[in-house]
Amino acid sequence: MRRSTVFFIIICAIAAGVPFLPAQSKTPPGTAGTVVFPGWPAEFEGKALTQLPLNAIENSFASDFPGRIARFTDGEREVIIRWVTEPTRKLHPSSDCFQGLGYSVKPLAAHRDEHGSLWARFAATKGNERLVVYEQVHADSGETWTDVSAWYWSALQHDSGSWWAITIAEKEP
């Protein structure tokens, strides 16, 4: 074999192995895990929140989640808050959770709240229970996403800080 062919085969073998190397974090060494949990909010949209216990499935999921998860009620709605400390595929759309719990899910038009903030929205139905569910991810910097996948790719680019994924479930009017 000619030297150029051998060289080409070696380069191809190295290139083929690169995807299997461990990924390097953009976070500077020694700073991982330094994001301090600010605590759960006492109110949401002007209404006091009462924390609810997580069910067995939620507890199992939360044990391996990069951040924290809690459920609340404001007396009328259920509010699920996920505080996320790193870009992760473990943060997934709430519609996936509802479908996993046996609900049929139908996408609805996005909703703009009284502050001008955009929320993803879907209907969830299970038996006689009919819910409208709103979802948004926002960063401490003020940036918001209505799509978890869009948040993920953006978070990969910035890889710092923390994010709040808010899900609101209310009975269909």
Side-chain angles (χ1 to χ4, degrees):
M1 248 190 236
R2 296 172 57 199
R3 281 190 175 166
S4 60
T5 304
V6 171
F7 178 73
F8 178 74
I9 291 171
I10 291 171
I11 294 299
C12 287
I14 292 171
V18 169
F20 299 103
L21 294 174
Q24 290 184 332
S25 174
K26 295 179 198 170
T27 307
T31 62
T34 58
V35 179
V36 177
F37 179 59
W40 298 116
E43 64 177 39
F44 182 75
E45 295 182 343
K47 295 182 180 182
L49 291 176
T50 302
Q51 191 165 356
L52 301 170
L54 296 178
N55 64 34
I57 294 170
E58 291 164 333
N59 270 321
S60 174
F61 184 76
S63 68
D64 194 32
F65 186 74
R68 298 184 185 203
I69 301 171
R71 282 187 327 130
F72 300 89
T73 182
D74 66 5
E76 297 174 13
R77 309 172 297 176
E78 188 167 310
V79 180
I80 299 128
I81 302 176
R82 297 171 284 174
W83 180 70
V84 189
T85 58
E86 64 186 57
T88 179
R89 284 294 192 186
K90 292 179 182 173
L91 179 65
H92 55 269
S94 297
S95 58
D96 291 356
C97 292
F98 277 84
Q99 286 175 322
L101 293 170
Y103 287 82
S104 63
V105 172
K106 177 184 167 192
L108 298 173
H111 169 74
R112 191 168 300 279
D113 66 19
E114 63 274 2
H115 305 290
S117 189
L118 201 58
W119 293 76
R121 189 170 62 134
F122 63 90
T125 306
K126 183 178 180 182
N128 291 330
E129 186 177 22
R130 298 185 189 289
L131 303 171
V132 176
V133 182
Y134 302 84
E135 180 173 40
Q136 181 188 84
V137 180
H138 68 266
D140 293 332
S141 66
E143 195 171 3
T144 62
W145 300 265
T146 58
D147 178 74
V148 173
S149 186
W151 161 79
Y152 174 75
W153 292 107
S154 178
L156 277 179
Q157 296 297 314
H158 300 99
D159 195 21
S160 64
S162 60
W163 302 268
W164 297 89
I166 311 291
T167 302
I168 304 165
E170 62 186 20
K171 292 189 189 291
E172 188 176 73

